[in-house]
PDB file of all heavy atoms in Angstrom:
ATOM      1  N   LYS K 185      29.245 135.109 139.738  1.00 90.00           N
ATOM      2  CA  LYS K 185      29.586 135.590 138.447  1.00 90.00           C
ATOM      3  C   LYS K 185      30.077 136.904 138.342  1.00 90.00           C
ATOM      4  O   LYS K 185      31.182 137.130 137.728  1.00 90.00           O
ATOM      5  CB  LYS K 185      28.248 135.595 137.581  1.00 90.00           C
ATOM      6  CG  LYS K 185      28.386 135.943 136.017  1.00 90.00           C
ATOM      7  CD  LYS K 185      29.059 134.790 135.315  1.00 90.00           C
ATOM      8  CE  LYS K 185      29.033 135.100 133.803  1.00 90.00           C
ATOM      9  NZ  LYS K 185      27.715 135.225 133.314  1.00 90.00           N
ATOM     10  N   VAL K 204      28.318 120.754 135.006  1.00 89.00           N
ATOM     11  CA  VAL K 204      27.762 122.060 135.200  1.00 89.00           C
ATOM     12  C   VAL K 204      27.200 122.629 133.844  1.00 89.00           C
ATOM     13  O   VAL K 204      27.952 122.683 132.881  1.00 89.00           O
ATOM     14  CB  VAL K 204      28.809 123.008 135.744  1.00 89.00           C
ATOM     15  CG1 VAL K 204      28.175 124.458 136.056  1.00 89.00           C
ATOM     16  CG2 VAL K 204      29.404 122.578 136.980  1.00 89.00           C
ATOM     17  N   ARG K 205      25.947 122.941 133.839  1.00 85.00           N
ATOM     18  CA  ARG K 205      25.260 123.310 132.540  1.00 85.00           C
ATOM     19  C   ARG K 205      24.383 124.544 132.698  1.00 85.00           C
ATOM     20  O   ARG K 205      24.303 124.960 133.807  1.00 85.00           O
ATOM     21  CB  ARG K 205      24.426 122.098 132.057  1.00 85.00           C
ATOM     22  CG  ARG K 205      25.218 120.866 131.764  1.00 85.00           C
ATOM     23  CD  ARG K 205      24.392 119.810 131.149  1.00 85.00           C
ATOM     24  NE  ARG K 205      25.205 118.619 130.872  1.00 85.00           N
ATOM     25  CZ  ARG K 205      25.049 117.430 131.486  1.00 85.00           C
ATOM     26  NH1 ARG K 205      24.215 117.347 132.420  1.00 85.00           N
ATOM     27  NH2 ARG K 205      25.687 116.405 131.082  1.00 85.00           N
ATOM     28  N   GLY K 206      23.885 124.993 131.650  1.00 78.00           N
ATOM     29  CA  GLY K 206      23.019 126.207 131.689  1.00 78.00           C
ATOM     30  C   GLY K 206      21.591 125.770 132.013  1.00 78.00           C
ATOM     31  O   GLY K 206      21.251 124.598 132.378  1.00 78.00           O
ATOM     32  N   LEU K 207      20.681 126.703 131.760  1.00 70.00           N
ATOM     33  CA  LEU K 207      19.284 126.535 132.120  1.00 70.00           C
ATOM     34  C   LEU K 207      18.606 125.351 131.489  1.00 70.00           C
ATOM     35  O   LEU K 207      17.779 124.702 132.084  1.00 70.00           O
ATOM     36  CB  LEU K 207      18.586 127.858 131.735  1.00 70.00           C
ATOM     37  CG  LEU K 207      17.136 128.059 132.362  1.00 70.00           C
ATOM     38  CD1 LEU K 207      17.257 127.922 133.958  1.00 70.00           C
ATOM     39  CD2 LEU K 207      16.779 129.542 132.012  1.00 70.00           C
ATOM     40  N   THR K 212      23.939 123.830 126.874  1.00 56.00           N
ATOM     41  CA  THR K 212      23.389 125.261 126.884  1.00 56.00           C
ATOM     42  C   THR K 212      24.313 126.121 127.802  1.00 56.00           C
ATOM     43  O   THR K 212      24.814 125.623 128.783  1.00 56.00           O
ATOM     44  CB  THR K 212      22.037 125.244 127.434  1.00 56.00           C
ATOM     45  OG1 THR K 212      21.923 124.871 128.787  1.00 56.00           O
ATOM     46  CG2 THR K 212      21.003 124.459 126.513  1.00 56.00           C
ATOM     47  N   GLU K 213      24.401 127.393 127.418  1.00 59.00           N
ATOM     48  CA  GLU K 213      25.213 128.339 128.180  1.00 59.00           C
ATOM     49  C   GLU K 213      24.442 128.774 129.430  1.00 59.00           C
ATOM     50  O   GLU K 213      23.237 128.597 129.567  1.00 59.00           O
ATOM     51  CB  GLU K 213      25.385 129.570 127.355  1.00 59.00           C
ATOM     52  CG  GLU K 213      26.416 129.411 126.240  1.00 59.00           C
ATOM     53  CD  GLU K 213      27.845 129.585 126.703  1.00 59.00           C
ATOM     54  OE1 GLU K 213      28.044 130.513 127.544  1.00 59.00           O
ATOM     55  OE2 GLU K 213      28.666 128.729 126.397  1.00 59.00           O
ATOM     56  N   ALA K 214      25.174 129.201 130.449  1.00 64.00           N
ATOM     57  CA  ALA K 214      24.664 129.701 131.631  1.00 64.00           C
ATOM     58  C   ALA K 214      24.129 131.073 131.464  1.00 64.00           C
ATOM     59  O   ALA K 214      24.577 132.021 132.064  1.00 64.00           O
ATOM     60  CB  ALA K 214      25.572 129.529 132.768  1.00 64.00           C
ATOM     61  N   VAL K 215      23.013 131.204 130.737  1.00 73.00           N
ATOM     62  CA  VAL K 215      22.398 132.489 130.510  1.00 73.00           C
ATOM     63  C   VAL K 215      21.738 132.938 131.857  1.00 73.00           C
ATOM     64  O   VAL K 215      21.101 132.114 132.489  1.00 73.00           O
ATOM     65  CB  VAL K 215      21.319 132.491 129.446  1.00 73.00           C
ATOM     66  CG1 VAL K 215      20.605 133.711 129.236  1.00 73.00           C
ATOM     67  CG2 VAL K 215      21.953 131.978 128.086  1.00 73.00           C
ATOM     68  N   GLY K 216      21.745 134.168 132.072  1.00 78.00           N
ATOM     69  CA  GLY K 216      21.122 134.744 133.328  1.00 78.00           C
ATOM     70  C   GLY K 216      21.619 134.097 134.588  1.00 78.00           C
ATOM     71  O   GLY K 216      20.942 134.192 135.505  1.00 78.00           O
ATOM     72  N   ASP K 217      22.812 133.743 134.628  1.00 89.00           N
ATOM     73  CA  ASP K 217      23.541 133.205 135.823  1.00 89.00           C
ATOM     74  C   ASP K 217      22.864 132.079 136.493  1.00 89.00           C
ATOM     75  O   ASP K 217      22.882 131.854 137.680  1.00 89.00           O
ATOM     76  CB  ASP K 217      23.662 134.310 136.872  1.00 89.00           C
ATOM     77  CG  ASP K 217      24.113 135.586 136.311  1.00 89.00           C
ATOM     78  OD1 ASP K 217      25.068 135.568 135.407  1.00 89.00           O
ATOM     79  OD2 ASP K 217      23.700 136.767 136.674  1.00 89.00           O
ATOM     80  N   PHE K 218      22.166 131.328 135.644  1.00 91.00           N
ATOM     81  CA  PHE K 218      21.478 130.091 136.134  1.00 91.00           C
ATOM     82  C   PHE K 218      22.338 128.902 135.816  1.00 91.00           C
ATOM     83  O   PHE K 218      22.703 128.746 134.591  1.00 91.00           O
ATOM     84  CB  PHE K 218      20.131 129.950 135.539  1.00 91.00           C
ATOM     85  CG  PHE K 218      19.133 131.003 135.973  1.00 91.00           C
ATOM     86  CD1 PHE K 218      18.693 132.025 135.087  1.00 91.00           C
ATOM     87  CD2 PHE K 218      18.628 131.020 137.305  1.00 91.00           C
ATOM     88  CE1 PHE K 218      17.903 133.010 135.574  1.00 91.00           C
ATOM     89  CE2 PHE K 218      17.758 132.019 137.721  1.00 91.00           C
ATOM     90  CZ  PHE K 218      17.381 133.024 136.782  1.00 91.00           C
ATOM     91  N   TYR K 219      22.689 128.082 136.708  1.00 93.00           N
ATOM     92  CA  TYR K 219      23.631 126.982 136.508  1.00 93.00           C
ATOM     93  C   TYR K 219      22.940 125.682 137.034  1.00 93.00           C
ATOM     94  O   TYR K 219      22.321 125.751 138.125  1.00 93.00           O
ATOM     95  CB  TYR K 219      24.858 127.101 137.333  1.00 93.00           C
ATOM     96  CG  TYR K 219      25.695 128.303 136.786  1.00 93.00           C
ATOM     97  CD1 TYR K 219      25.389 129.546 137.199  1.00 93.00           C
ATOM     98  CD2 TYR K 219      26.682 128.144 135.871  1.00 93.00           C
ATOM     99  CE1 TYR K 219      26.063 130.637 136.696  1.00 93.00           C
ATOM    100  CE2 TYR K 219      27.463 129.131 135.400  1.00 93.00           C
ATOM    101  CZ  TYR K 219      27.173 130.472 135.886  1.00 93.00           C
ATOM    102  OH  TYR K 219      27.896 131.495 135.349  1.00 93.00           O
ATOM    103  N   GLN K 220      23.012 124.595 136.289  1.00 92.00           N
ATOM    104  CA  GLN K 220      22.574 123.287 136.684  1.00 92.00           C
ATOM    105  C   GLN K 220      23.832 122.508 137.055  1.00 92.00           C
ATOM    106  O   GLN K 220      24.610 122.326 136.251  1.00 92.00           O
ATOM    107  CB  GLN K 220      21.872 122.525 135.604  1.00 92.00           C
ATOM    108  CG  GLN K 220      20.359 122.735 135.489  1.00 92.00           C
ATOM    109  CD  GLN K 220      19.771 121.852 134.589  1.00 92.00           C
ATOM    110  OE1 GLN K 220      19.672 120.703 134.802  1.00 92.00           O
ATOM    111  NE2 GLN K 220      19.265 122.353 133.379  1.00 92.00           N
ATOM    112  N   HIS K 289      18.598 137.500 131.372  1.00 90.00           N
ATOM    113  CA  HIS K 289      19.833 138.100 131.953  1.00 90.00           C
ATOM    114  C   HIS K 289      19.429 139.262 132.986  1.00 90.00           C
ATOM    115  O   HIS K 289      19.922 139.369 134.088  1.00 90.00           O
ATOM    116  CB  HIS K 289      20.659 138.709 130.810  1.00 90.00           C
ATOM    117  CG  HIS K 289      21.931 139.408 131.216  1.00 90.00           C
ATOM    118  ND1 HIS K 289      22.996 138.707 131.743  1.00 90.00           N
ATOM    119  CD2 HIS K 289      22.162 140.748 131.264  1.00 90.00           C
ATOM    120  CE1 HIS K 289      23.897 139.532 131.993  1.00 90.00           C
ATOM    121  NE2 HIS K 289      23.486 140.821 131.775  1.00 90.00           N
TER     122      HIS K 289
END
Side-chain angles (χ1 to χ4, degrees):
Chain K
K185 182 75 174 295
V204 181
R205 302 187 174 106
L207 195 49
T212 64
E213 286 278 315
V215 177
D217 314 322
F218 295 105
Y219 295 82
Q220 269 191 70
H289 178 74

